Amino acid sequence: MDALIDPTLLTRIAFYFFSALSIVAALFVVVHRNPIVSAVALVMTFLGVAGLYLTLGATFLTAVQILVYAGAIMVLFLFVIMLLNLEKDPFEEPHVPRLLGAGLAIALLFGLVAVLGGTVAVGTSIRSGSAEEIGKIFFGEYIFPFEMASLLLLVAMIGVIVVARRSDGKEAL
Amino acid sequence: MIPVADYYVVASVLFAIGAAGFLTRKNLLVMFMSVELMLNAANLVLLAASSTHDLGRGSAMALVSVAVAAAEVGVGLAIIIALFRLRASVDAEEMTNLHG
């Protein structure tokens, strides 16, 4: 049976759309001087990357990306920005270290594309990226990394409370 | 099927943008966001590479990396809050305590 629209074409369109979304939003994150705009642009980048995961077939990771990054991590960022009540960065003239940093990043881009851009990989995955498969992997073969991740999150939570609270007992920042 | 190299190129661009942001911005929060961009690019490469071998295990590894990123964001932002209390600023160039 012929499909009305070619599914591989749809995947391709989705790939280009989400790539463009994530790259343009990433540029906004880096270039914009208002940190709140940077944070909102970062959400768009995360959503774009989530879309790219979807075109790869990694459905569970797409959900995790949206829940953890676009949900939890962004709320944390926005909360801290508003807690600190930051103003816009004052306008800065480009000076030598910044130009050097930008040049280094461009060199890194060319290096990465030169190394990775020519990769030819054929074949398909022997397993899908569904929640069922990942659950089987985590609660079987990779139970130790799974438990270590939980322990890491617990330790990080306690550490954050210790570092961020005021030592003199007052509640305001 | 989109070639894996295309994903690598997108991830390279994202990583380079993150690196540029980390190296050129002075606002600690924006520098931290740039680090998140680079982490995402690395995760994208991981998933793209595993899509031609074993997407299940690649996803499992990427999931652990997401958990590490979440822990890292919490600790990083707590340090930024503590620094802000100390200096009333999030300008990286003012943090010169260890400058000697």
Side-chain angles (χ1 to χ4, degrees):
Chain A
M1 198 177 98
D2 288 341
L4 280 175
I5 305 165
D6 185 9
T8 53
L9 180 73
L10 270 184
T11 313
R12 190 155 269 282
I13 291 169
F15 171 77
Y16 287 123
F17 172 74
F18 288 123
S19 302
L21 176 71
S22 52
I23 289 169
V24 170
L27 281 174
F28 264 92
V29 173
V30 170
V31 169
H32 210 281
R33 294 215 306 282
N34 187 344
I36 293 182
V37 176
S38 288
V40 174
L42 194 61
V43 178
M44 299 311 290
T45 313
F46 289 156
L47 290 179
V49 174
L52 289 176
Y53 290 172
L54 199 59
T55 63
L56 282 168
T59 45
F60 185 66
L61 252 286
T62 306
V64 167
Q65 171 87 1
I66 291 171
L67 284 175
V68 175
Y69 272 106
I73 288 180
M74 285 330 297
V75 168
L76 212 56
F77 263 110
L78 285 172
F79 175 73
V80 169
I81 290 169
M82 290 176 183
L83 187 73
L84 302 186
N85 198 14
L86 297 176
E87 287 154 23
K88 282 184 189 172
D89 281 359
F91 181 73
E92 306 150 18
E93 299 272 321
H95 61 278
V96 177
R98 303 186 83 196
L99 291 177
L100 203 68
L104 209 63
I106 290 168
L108 181 69
L109 171 64
F110 282 113
L112 283 172
V113 171
V115 172
L116 295 173
T119 313
V120 180
V122 285
T124 45
S125 172
I126 56 166
R127 248 188 286 243
S128 78
S130 68
E132 189 189 351
E133 290 286 350
I134 294 170
K136 279 179 189 162
I137 290 166
F138 262 135
F139 288 99
E141 200 178 348
Y142 291 141
I143 187 79
F144 185 69
F146 182 76
E147 294 296 342
M148 281 300 107
S150 348
L151 188 65
L152 174 78
L153 286 170
L154 177 68
V155 170
M157 189 176 78
I158 296 169
V160 165
I161 293 169
V162 170
V163 171
R165 71 168 188 167
R166 286 182 68 118
S167 47
D168 55 9
K170 286 180 194 154
E171 290 202 346
L173 185 74
Chain B
M1 194 73 187
I2 296 150
V4 161
D6 290 8
Y7 286 98
Y8 290 169
V9 170
V10 174
S12 302
V13 173
L14 281 178
F15 193 91
I17 292 172
F22 185 75
L23 291 172
T24 58
R25 294 298 300 261
K26 293 197 298 181
N27 188 327
L28 280 177
L29 279 163
V30 179
M31 286 169 75
F32 203 44
M33 290 181 203
S34 305
V35 173
E36 291 304 308
L37 279 181
M38 291 192 276
L39 260 171
N40 254 272
N43 254 351
L44 184 57
V45 170
L46 195 58
L47 279 179
S50 68
S51 72
T52 59
H53 299 285
D54 189 339
L55 192 57
R57 287 186 187 189
S59 296
M61 194 170 162
L63 194 59
V64 172
S65 143
V66 168
V68 172
E72 174 238 341
V73 166
V75 174
L77 287 175
I79 291 173
I80 289 174
I81 288 178
L83 269 174
F84 184 80
R85 248 181 225 141
L86 212 61
R87 292 298 177 91
S89 158
V90 287
D91 188 339
E93 294 198 349
E94 287 181 28
M95 312 299 168
T96 52
N97 280 13
L98 298 178
H99 201 267

Coordinates of all heavy atoms in Angstrom, one line a residue, chain A residues 112-122, chain B residues 2-9 12 45 48-49 52-53:
Chain A
L112 N 36.1 19.3 14.6 CA 35.1 18.3 14.9 C 34.4 17.9 13.6 O 34.2 16.7 13.4 CB 34.0 18.9 15.9 CG 34.4 18.9 17.3 CD1 33.3 19.7 18.1 CD2 34.6 17.5 17.9
V113 N 34.1 18.9 12.7 CA 33.4 18.5 11.5 C 34.3 17.7 10.6 O 33.9 16.7 10.0 CB 32.9 19.8 10.8 CG1 32.4 19.4 9.4 CG2 31.8 20.4 11.5
A114 N 35.6 18.1 10.6 CA 36.6 17.3 9.8 C 36.7 15.9 10.3 O 36.8 14.9 9.5 CB 38.0 18.0 9.9
V115 N 36.7 15.7 11.6 CA 36.8 14.3 12.1 C 35.5 13.5 12.0 O 35.6 12.4 11.6 CB 37.3 14.4 13.6 CG1 37.3 13.0 14.2 CG2 38.7 15.0 13.7
L116 N 34.4 14.1 12.4 CA 33.2 13.4 12.5 C 32.3 13.4 11.2 O 31.5 12.5 11.0 CB 32.3 14.0 13.6 CG 32.9 13.8 15.0 CD1 32.0 14.6 16.0 CD2 33.0 12.3 15.4
G117 N 32.5 14.5 10.4 CA 31.6 14.7 9.3 C 31.7 13.6 8.2 O 30.7 13.4 7.5
G118 N 32.8 13.0 8.1 CA 33.0 12.0 7.1 C 32.5 10.6 7.5 O 32.7 9.6 6.7
T119 N 32.0 10.5 8.7 CA 31.6 9.1 9.2 C 30.5 8.5 8.4 O 29.5 9.1 8.0 CB 31.1 9.2 10.6 OG1 32.0 10.1 11.4 CG2 31.0 7.9 11.3
V120 N 30.8 7.3 8.0 CA 29.8 6.5 7.3 C 29.4 5.3 8.1 O 30.3 4.5 8.4 CB 30.2 6.0 5.9 CG1 29.1 5.3 5.2 CG2 30.6 7.2 5.0
A121 N 28.2 5.2 8.6 CA 27.8 4.1 9.4 C 26.5 3.5 8.8 O 25.6 4.2 8.5 CB 27.5 4.5 10.8
V122 N 26.6 2.3 8.5 CA 25.4 1.6 7.9 C 24.9 0.6 8.9 O 25.5 0.1 9.8 CB 25.7 0.9 6.6 CG1 25.9 2.0 5.5 CG2 27.0 0.1 6.7
Chain B
I2 N 18.4 9.1 7.9 CA 19.3 10.2 7.8 C 20.7 9.7 8.2 O 20.9 9.0 9.2 CB 18.9 11.3 8.8 CG1 17.5 11.9 8.3 CG2 19.9 12.5 8.8 CD1 16.7 12.4 9.4
P3 N 21.7 10.1 7.4 CA 23.1 9.6 7.7 C 23.6 10.1 9.1 O 23.2 11.2 9.5 CB 24.0 10.3 6.6 CG 23.0 10.8 5.6 CD 21.7 10.9 6.2
V4 N 24.3 9.2 9.7 CA 24.8 9.5 11.1 C 25.7 10.8 11.1 O 25.6 11.6 12.0 CB 25.5 8.3 11.6 CG1 26.4 8.7 12.8 CG2 24.5 7.2 12.1
A5 N 26.4 11.0 10.0 CA 27.3 12.1 9.9 C 26.6 13.4 10.0 O 27.1 14.4 10.6 CB 28.1 12.0 8.6
D6 N 25.3 13.5 9.5 CA 24.5 14.7 9.7 C 24.3 15.1 11.1 O 24.4 16.2 11.5 CB 23.2 14.6 8.9 CG 23.3 14.5 7.4 OD1 24.5 14.4 7.0 OD2 22.3 14.6 6.7
Y7 N 24.0 14.0 11.9 CA 23.8 14.3 13.4 C 25.1 14.8 14.0 O 25.1 15.6 14.8 CB 23.3 13.0 14.1 CG 21.9 12.7 13.8 CD1 21.5 11.7 12.8 CD2 20.8 13.3 14.5 CE1 20.2 11.4 12.5 CE2 19.5 13.0 14.2 CZ 19.2 12.0 13.3 OH 17.9 11.8 13.0
Y8 N 26.2 14.1 13.5 CA 27.5 14.6 14.1 C 27.8 16.0 13.8 O 28.3 16.7 14.6 CB 28.6 13.7 13.5 CG 28.6 12.2 14.0 CD1 29.4 11.3 13.4 CD2 27.8 11.9 15.1 CE1 29.4 10.0 13.9 CE2 27.8 10.6 15.5 CZ 28.6 9.6 14.9 OH 28.6 8.3 15.4
V9 N 27.4 16.4 12.6 CA 27.7 17.8 12.2 C 26.8 18.8 13.1 O 27.3 19.8 13.6 CB 27.4 18.1 10.7 CG1 27.4 19.6 10.4 CG2 28.4 17.3 9.9
S12 N 28.3 18.9 16.4 CA 29.6 19.6 16.4 C 29.3 21.1 16.5 O 29.9 21.9 17.2 CB 30.4 19.4 15.2 OG 30.7 18.0 15.1
V45 N 25.5 13.0 20.1 CA 26.5 12.1 19.4 C 26.3 10.7 19.9 O 26.3 9.7 19.1 CB 27.9 12.6 19.6 CG1 28.9 11.6 19.1 CG2 28.2 13.9 18.9
A48 N 23.2 9.2 18.4 CA 23.3 9.0 17.0 C 24.2 7.8 16.7 O 23.9 7.0 15.8 CB 23.9 10.3 16.3
A49 N 25.3 7.7 17.4 CA 26.2 6.5 17.2 C 25.5 5.2 17.6 O 25.7 4.2 16.9 CB 27.5 6.7 18.0
T52 N 23.0 3.1 15.2 CA 23.4 2.1 14.2 C 23.9 0.8 14.8 O 24.3 -0.1 14.1 CB 24.5 2.7 13.2 OG1 25.6 3.0 14.0 CG2 24.0 3.8 12.5
H53 N 23.9 0.8 16.1 CA 24.4 -0.4 16.8 C 23.4 -1.0 17.8 O 22.8 -2.1 17.6 CB 25.7 -0.2 17.6 CG 26.8 0.3 16.6 ND1 27.5 -0.6 15.8 CD2 27.3 1.5 16.4 CE1 28.4 0.1 15.1 NE2 28.3 1.4 15.5

